[in-house]
Every structure is written in structure tokens, then in C-alpha cells.
Amino acid sequence: MPYGRITGWAVDLPEKVLTNADLASMVDTSDEWITERSGISSRHVDGTVTEMSTVAGRAALAMAGVSPNQVDLLLLATTTSDQMIPASSSVVQDNLGLSCGAMDLNAACSGFVYGLVTAMQFVEGGMERVLLIGSDALSRFTNWEDRTTCVLFGDGAGAVVIERNGSQPSLLGWDLMSDGSAADLLYCEHDDKIVMHGQEVFRKAVLAMEKAATTAMERAGTSIDDIALVVPHQANIRIIDTALKRLGIPREKAALVLQRTGNTSAASIPLALVDALDAGRVAPGDLLLLVGFGAGMTSAAAVLRWNPPEN
Ligand code: UT7
């Protein structure tokens, strides 16, 4: 059984919800503008990476039936660690009672897919169990006076347990990419707030998603017709729609939660994945395409076969 499989999953969202109407009372915007231009209606705010990761991580372990002392590695994909030092993963490791290595992984909104690929390499290299969490608290780094960014972001966490108990590979193909020449399109200096050049990010995001998805599918030896579910980064419904159109994928095949979560960076793909899993949209043997992009600019895609449990 040398291959990694996802055996448990869970999410966490902070209690506080900010609606488009709330934002319209804070900056010069409207529900109509935000909904039309982004597809977002509400988002959760005021979370912390360590709290959300702890809640999601604990629930994912419980679902998998894995006890803390059985976890060999904690990977926490985040770009908004609660502190610069130490890594939030160390705090989460202690909160969960894990006795293993722990590290943060920062690939911005592509972080969960980077983490998934990394986790699978560890598992296929011999580790028994990896806890992978994607978690971001963007609300802390949002400029609440900047209407071009504050309407987009939210907080959340999603966790998966990956165990070495599959007789067939789950990760069939993947692509990880970074284009640092576009670093100044989306950034946040120390002790400051997020700055974004939205239109340019939009344009690059569509192309990056198409390229990453196409490369991952080629490497997996699959075509778009084989994909049962696409789990895109939840940044903007127009970005998702444009990328899906270029790839020839109908929107019905996409997992979407951004209407109620906004853009939660590294949490966005696991939030959408868990939503689809919990809704019964994934059957054993299905092929999933996970595809993200983000600051860096990074991009990442993975083709995952949803392997059933083995006895
Ligand atoms: O995880 C990756 C992170 N980021 C992204 O994926 C974001 C990528 N970019 C986008 O999603 C879009 O570019 C935005 C949603 C940020 C903006 O949408 P857009 O259709 O590109 O709008 P725009 O920047 O072209 O702005 C159009 C107008 C401008 O007014 P004028 O110059 O035409 O008078 C903006 O000032 O809309 C104005 N505007 C707003 N109006 C009401 C910008 N933000 C708002 C707002 N409410 N919140």
C-alpha cells in the first residue's frame, strides 16, 4: 500500500460574517457591484490562523480516526502566519498534541496545492500520515478603507489527513510554478496591508490557471473529459468562469464556495473541496482537478484520483 490517500477532511470559518451590505456602510461600494464583479456575497473575518487550523485539523484527524501520536508531519500552507516567528505550524502542532515535525509553507493562494504535492512526496517516500492544512486570516492584513481589495478577502481553514494506505496512486499529475517577475502585482510589506493591482492579477490568473491545469492533466495522461470535478481557487467568479471556458469545462463541474467565503487564499481550495465532498459530489474513482494561483505569482494544479478506502 505505498500510495497516499485522503482519509479525513474538515474546515473551520470564524464566527463573524461581513456581508456586502456591511461593506457598503464602510466604503464607497454596493452589493450589486461586489456581486457582479466578484461573485462574493459575504465572508468570514477576524479569525486567526492558529485557531482555525487547530479546529479544522482536529476535526480532520477525528474523521480519519487518526490519533495525534500517529501523525508524522504537519504541513501548514499559509501566507498570514499569526506571528512572523515562530511558524504558526509549531503552535498548531502543540495545540493538537502532535509529536512530529511541523512547518509553514508559503505559496500564497496556491499553497494548498503546493502542500498536497509536498505531502504526497513525503508519504510516498515512506511517511505513514501527514496532516495538511490550508489556512489564512487575510482580514488582519486587509486595508478596510480600500474598496478595491477589502470586498474580496475573508478568513478560513481547511484540513486533510493523507495516509499511506492506497494500492493505487491518488496524485496522477501536477504542476507547480512561480513567476517572481510579477511579485509587485500583489504584496504586503511587514506591518502593512495588502496592495493589489486587480486587473493585471486577473489577466495573469486566467492564463496561469489554464497553463497549470493543462500541464497537470498532460502529465496525468488525462483530458478534460475525464475530470469529474474542478476545484479552482476561489478568488473571483469571473476569473473562474473565464478559465473554465478556456479549458472547455462547464461551470456545473466546478466546486464553488466563494459566494459565502470570499477569497481565503490557501484555505480556498480545501474549503471548496470539503464542500463538494460533504455534498456527495465525489464518487470513488472520480478524477479531481485542483487549480490555484496567487501572489508571487505562484500557480499550481493537481489531478487527484479519489481512491476508495482499502480493507
Ligand atoms: O488570490 C488572488 C488575488 N486576487 C485576485 O484574484 C483579484 C483579481 N482581480 C479581480 O478580481 C478584479 O480585477 C477586481 C474584482 C479586483 C476588480 O474588478 P474589475 O472588473 O477589474 O474592476 P476595475 O478594477 O476595472 O474597476 C472598475 C471600476 C473603477 O472605477 P472607474 O475607474 O471605472 O470609475 C473602480 O474604481 O470599479 C471601481 N471599483 C469599485 N466600485 C465599487 C473598484 N472597486 C470597487 C468597489 N465598489 N468595491
Side-chain angles (χ1 to χ4, degrees):
M1 299 282 201
Y3 296 108
R5 277 183 52 236
I6 293 178
T7 58
W9 54 87
V11 300
D12 186 57
L13 293 163
E15 251 174 54
K16 186 171 174 192
V17 174
L18 213 52
T19 64
N20 289 353
D22 294 330
L23 284 162
S25 69
M26 295 159 60
V27 290
D28 182 14
T29 190
S30 63
D31 176 40
E32 193 188 7
W33 192 96
I34 303 170
T35 306
E36 265 180 23
R37 300 286 180 128
S38 73
I40 299 165
S41 299
S42 62
R43 68 289 289 147
H44 295 250
V45 296
D46 290 354
T48 68
V49 165
T50 50
E51 278 172 20
M52 295 186 295
S53 302
T54 300
V55 174
R58 185 175 287 130
L61 290 174
M63 180 180 178
V66 168
S67 59
N69 62 7
Q70 291 179 304
V71 177
D72 298 316
L73 180 69
L74 167 64
L75 281 177
L76 174 54
T78 186
T79 193
T80 53
S81 180
D82 290 350
Q83 294 167 290
M84 200 171 78
I85 301 170
S88 287
S89 52
S90 288
V91 178
V92 176
Q93 168 260 309
D94 185 52
N95 288 349
L96 293 176
L98 310 181
S99 44
C100 63
M103 60 176 156
D104 283 11
L105 184 161
N106 182 349
C109 307
S110 311
F112 184 81
V113 180
Y114 266 73
L116 181 69
V117 172
T118 307
M120 287 292 184
Q121 313 305 309
F122 274 111
V123 166
E124 287 168 17
M127 271 189 183
E128 292 297 327
R129 289 169 201 89
V130 177
L131 176 60
L132 167 65
I133 304 174
S135 177
D136 266 305
L138 292 173
S139 67
R140 187 171 162 199
F141 299 94
T142 297
N143 177 353
W144 292 105
E145 293 175 358
D146 175 8
R147 68 175 184 171
T148 67
T149 53
C150 75
V151 300
L152 302 173
F153 300 131
D155 303 344
V160 295
V161 178
I162 297 166
E163 295 191 69
R164 191 175 197 266
N165 62 8
S167 58
Q168 295 182 60
S170 295
L171 183 62
L172 305 186
W174 49 269
D175 182 54
L176 305 181
M177 189 48 66
S178 168
D179 173 12
S181 71
D184 58 354
L185 295 186
L186 175 51
Y187 61 90
C188 181
E189 300 289 354
H190 287 299
D191 301 320
D192 211 340
K193 304 294 181 190
I194 296 167
V195 177
M196 182 174 72
H197 301 281
Q199 278 190 356
E200 285 166 76
V201 173
F202 191 117
R203 272 192 292 274
K204 284 193 179 283
V206 169
L207 298 177
M209 282 174 85
E210 183 185 8
K211 188 157 186 291
T214 306
T215 306
M217 285 190 292
E218 267 170 26
R219 289 179 180 159
T222 58
S223 79
I224 212 69
D225 297 334
D226 304 320
I227 302 292
L229 184 79
V230 182
V231 189
H233 172 44
Q234 313 280 304
N236 184 323
I237 193 66
R238 288 159 51 223
I239 294 179
I240 294 173
D241 278 344
T242 312
L244 290 178
K245 200 170 166 198
R246 291 174 72 101
L247 287 162
I249 307 173
R251 200 206 258 187
E252 300 77 64
K253 276 195 181 182
L256 297 172
V257 292
L258 89 164
Q259 188 186 6
R260 62 182 171 84
T261 63
N263 179 350
T264 55
S265 192
S268 115
I269 287 179
L271 285 173
L273 173 66
V274 168
D275 186 74
L277 290 169
D278 289 348
R281 292 182 67 190
V282 182
D286 276 356
L287 295 191
L288 279 55
L289 171 64
L290 279 52
V291 55
F293 64 91
M297 283 190 63
T298 60
S299 53
V303 177
L304 203 62
R305 179 166 43 211
W306 196 255
N307 284 330
E310 317 244 356
N311 296 314

